[in-house]
Amino acid sequence: MIPKIILGKGPDATRRTIRYLFGPGRANEHTDPHLVASWNGFAPDPGRSPHRDPQDVEKQLVAQLDQPIRMLGDKAPKHTVWHCPVRAAPEDPILTDDQWAEVARRIVAAAGIAPDGDEDACRWVAVRHADDHIHIAATLVRQDGRRPKRDYDQRAVQKEARTIEVDYGLRRLKAGDGTAAKRATSKEHFKAKRLGQDATARDILRLRVRRAVAAAADETEFLALLEVTGVDVRRKRGPSGDALGCNFALPGDTNDKGEPVFYAGSTLAPDLSLPKIRERLATTSPEPANVPPGNPWHQATAATERIPHHLVSGDDHAAQGQLVALGMTLDVLPLAAPAAVRSELSQAAMAFERASRSRITADLNSTRALRRSLQSIWRERPQDRDGTGLAMLLDVTLTAVALALHWHRTRQHAQQAAAAEQALVHLHSAYVQVAEPVLTQLAQHTPSQQAQRRYAHHLQQAAPAHAERILNDPAWDALAAVLAQAEAAGHNTATVLAQALGQRTLGDVRSPARTLTWRIRRLSERHAPSPRAQAARARTAKAYNPSPLPGAQAHPMAAGSRQPQPRARRR
């Protein structure tokens, strides 16, 4: 059950609200509007007065609701109407008028509009339009002339709705913490439907602004990216001329006067205000001059692989910062992915957006490496011909999102946990589409049975707890292939395997063989042995002559190798 509070202001606010509630609606969705409850139990009902003109009954109802406001004259408050639609889920049982009346009384009591037993409370009515929802309209002056005490009414109403769901056997929604993005209004949904758009302007802007924040290195680049992606920006400036805020609009999205409809960043999401955006941009510093450039896919993968450690072992502020960076990763991935998986990745990003915020303040200092690598992927579009870079990044992202789900659950962040769980579904679907072709291609280069037995022996020595699970994993052939590739490039199999196992435990990954495949592929490319090490390795005869994989460096002594002696094999 979803209640949503809307405030109305102006001398005609009550008349406008009642006219809408008893009118046809914006798309003729009001099929049978009628009262189910009111402050006194016998308020005039424009929907159930067959012997009177409905417009006359509307005027009478408006006059009765407005009477306490008129008594105050010029001292009336700015906002005079409290409007709260309450909607049940489509799969919920249909409630009767009496049940909806009881729901309305509980909602106005929880909000402080009409506490139980208070005869001088605000005047209100509940109007039913359809089987699944009602609208509650109240005037914000009590009958004794005082203002209602409705501090934190939105939070109180949501809490009462969770109790109503249990009492009436309705679908139970997740409790929030006030950090969710503002939902699009029904007016915005109708407008998007009328224009043939799949999403509202608010949702489109939120996605584009988040992507610009994730990809930009500074405020200038952030504004430039917004312009490129089709977002109009209007900056709010103070007396000194400094920008204090940003409003965003889509070209062509206008109101009835033909003016652009601008949304403040803070109304798109709590973390998209200009101060919050500047705080995130400040965490991206230039790469030190003495750090050699690397593969951005590998750098992003290594940084993302450290997120679970922060979630398990770090303090809450650092963990929340990692969740922010994880959300940015999901925002950028659709831009660098093949067209076939962009939709799934975009849905994963939109779902996880809710899981990237909580009441815990984020410490972003430890997210610099991931931010820099994401920006490199965005700017440089590094080559990823066979999809290995994206596959290995998606693999560690899946693990990070799964740990984020656990992290939120242990802290009773119900909405965030549900969002992370939803993101996992879309992310796993995209991962399968990206990884399976890569693993299939690798498996075609599986080395000899003798080499596989030797790799299995190294594996059993290095990770006895996981060896059986890895050897029975469908991705074992691909893992054996990358081990052969690493060995052909001059690496020591036992050493590179130990390095891959030492990066992070395999206990929380879905497929340990796939995870090790990506780790060893990354290690073999990042840490190539020196010529001296390669020469020493060449002097050690090999037990087989594996076929080099595409992109792998062939061992210089492979063609003339001889069968190794037992002593050499033991070394």
Side-chain angles (χ1 to χ4, degrees):
M1 180 169 286
I2 303 175
K4 182 179 180 180
I5 296 174
I6 307 166
L7 299 181
K9 62 181 179 180
D12 294 331
T14 306
R15 179 183 61 81
R16 291 196 306 269
T17 303
I18 295 301
R19 177 169 294 180
Y20 167 74
L21 295 182
F22 286 96
R26 294 187 175 91
N28 294 317
E29 73 275 16
H30 298 175
T31 55
D32 181 25
H34 60 278
L35 287 183
V36 295
S38 64
W39 77 96
N40 57 9
F42 51 85
D45 183 359
R48 291 289 188 270
S49 301
H51 303 297
R52 296 180 60 189
D53 185 347
Q55 292 186 357
D56 291 339
V57 182
E58 282 185 21
K59 292 179 181 178
Q60 183 181 1
L61 178 59
V62 170
Q64 291 187 18
L65 288 169
D66 267 347
Q67 185 178 5
I69 296 175
R70 291 199 306 270
M71 291 172 56
L72 294 183
D74 295 339
K75 296 181 180 180
K78 176 182 177 181
H79 292 96
T80 56
V81 172
W82 187 88
H83 178 197
C84 182
V86 184
R87 185 178 298 273
E91 65 271 22
D92 283 340
I94 297 176
L95 302 182
T96 65
D97 280 0
D98 289 341
Q99 289 173 321
W100 275 119
E102 179 60 25
V103 169
R105 294 187 189 98
R106 293 174 64 168
I107 292 293
V108 294
I113 296 295
D116 292 334
D118 189 346
E119 296 181 356
D120 293 327
C122 297
R123 297 185 176 187
W124 61 274
V125 293
V127 182
R128 184 174 187 176
H129 284 154
D131 291 338
D132 63 346
H133 73 280
I134 61 172
H135 289 254
I136 304 172
T139 45
L140 290 174
V141 175
R142 291 166 49 88
Q143 297 180 71
D144 57 9
R146 294 184 297 156
R147 310 285 177 83
K149 294 182 179 179
R150 56 180 194 87
D151 296 338
Y152 306 105
D153 54 350
Q154 182 68 53
R155 190 177 303 174
V157 165
Q158 292 289 348
K159 183 178 179 181
E160 183 64 25
R162 303 292 82 79
T163 305
I164 292 172
E165 290 162 359
V166 175
D167 294 344
Y168 284 90
L170 307 178
R171 176 186 173 187
R172 300 179 64 177
L173 300 183
K174 307 298 183 183
D177 59 1
T179 61
K182 187 176 180 181
R183 287 192 178 96
T185 65
S186 57
K187 182 178 179 180
E188 293 169 3
H189 280 294
F190 286 129
K191 184 177 181 179
K193 184 178 180 180
R194 187 173 66 252
L195 297 176
Q197 298 173 346
D198 295 332
T200 65
R202 182 189 299 275
D203 294 332
I204 295 172
L205 283 171
R206 182 186 301 120
L207 178 61
R208 293 185 182 180
V209 174
R210 282 181 60 86
R211 283 180 175 173
V213 174
D218 52 41
E219 191 170 338
T220 301
E221 187 177 9
F222 166 69
L223 297 173
L225 288 175
L226 289 177
E227 182 179 357
V228 170
T229 54
V231 177
D232 294 335
V233 181
R234 184 177 65 189
R235 289 196 276 184
K236 297 164 58 179
R237 298 189 180 276
S240 63
D242 295 334
L244 303 178
C246 277
N247 293 340
F248 308 98
L250 289 178
D253 182 31
T254 58
N255 57 21
D256 52 3
K257 298 179 181 178
E259 300 169 339
V261 179
F262 280 93
Y263 296 83
S266 58
T267 64
L268 295 178
D271 53 354
L272 292 182
S273 64
L274 185 57
K276 293 288 187 182
I277 290 173
R278 285 172 170 168
E279 182 181 348
R280 292 196 183 188
L281 294 176
T283 63
T284 306
S285 58
E287 193 74 36
N290 58 347
V291 176
N295 187 324
W297 289 109
H298 293 176
Q299 293 169 345
T301 301
T304 306
E305 200 167 32
R306 290 192 289 269
I307 291 179
H309 171 74
H310 289 280
L311 295 177
V312 173
S313 306
D315 65 88
D316 280 359
H317 299 288
Q320 180 60 53
Q322 295 295 318
L323 294 180
V324 171
L326 183 57
M328 292 182 174
T329 303
L330 292 173
D331 288 334
V332 170
L333 279 180
L335 305 176
V341 295
R342 285 175 193 162
S343 177
E344 289 286 0
L345 290 177
S346 293
Q347 292 183 68
M350 288 187 287
F352 194 80
E353 181 265 345
R354 179 68 190 95
S356 65
R357 288 188 305 274
S358 72
R359 303 291 292 182
I360 300 171
T361 304
D363 180 2
L364 300 173
N365 288 327
S366 61
T367 66
R368 295 177 185 271
L370 180 55
R371 289 290 312 280
R372 286 196 296 264
S373 58
L374 292 176
Q375 288 157 10
S376 296
I377 291 174
W378 162 259
R379 292 194 196 94
E380 301 169 13
R381 297 294 200 274
Q383 237 179 7
D384 188 27
R385 288 189 299 269
D386 60 356
T388 303
L390 178 60
M392 65 173 65
L393 180 53
L394 285 176
D395 181 76
V396 297
T397 302
L398 267 171
T399 303
V401 173
L403 265 294
L405 168 61
H406 174 74
W407 189 85
H408 281 305
R409 277 180 176 170
T410 57
R411 286 152 185 80
Q412 299 182 347
H413 299 166
Q415 289 185 356
Q416 289 90 333
E421 188 171 16
Q422 184 181 358
L424 269 177
V425 175
H426 297 294
L427 197 59
H428 184 260
S429 176
Y431 174 69
V432 170
Q433 295 180 59
V434 172
E436 288 301 330
V438 180
L439 294 169
T440 300
Q441 184 181 7
L442 287 172
Q444 294 175 358
H445 301 274
T446 305
S448 65
Q449 290 293 326
Q450 182 181 3
Q452 291 188 54
R453 285 194 294 270
R454 183 158 48 83
Y455 297 154
H457 176 69
H458 290 318
L459 182 64
Q460 289 166 345
Q461 286 187 323
H466 300 288
E468 183 176 357
R469 185 181 171 207
I470 295 171
L471 293 173
N472 292 326
D473 194 309
W476 162 249
D477 288 343
L479 174 57
V482 294
L483 284 169
Q485 176 184 356
E487 193 169 45
H491 290 276
N492 181 282
T493 306
T495 301
V496 75
L497 188 57
Q499 289 175 343
L501 288 166
Q503 288 182 352
R504 174 163 171 75
T505 178
L506 298 174
D508 50 14
V509 300
R510 294 176 179 234
S511 171
R514 283 188 304 194
T515 299
L516 285 176
T517 298
W518 309 133
R519 289 181 185 178
I520 292 172
R521 181 72 176 262
R522 194 167 77 249
L523 285 168
S524 62
E525 293 182 14
R526 288 171 54 204
H527 303 295
S530 65
R532 184 175 180 180
Q534 291 188 24
R537 178 63 180 161
R539 287 192 295 270
T540 303
K542 297 173 62 177
Y544 70 102
N545 185 14
S547 301
L549 298 181
Q553 180 185 356
H555 194 284
M557 297 296 291
S561 61
R562 59 185 177 85
Q563 191 71 15
Q565 298 302 317
R567 179 176 298 179
R569 185 164 61 250
R570 282 198 297 273
R571 284 203 301 272

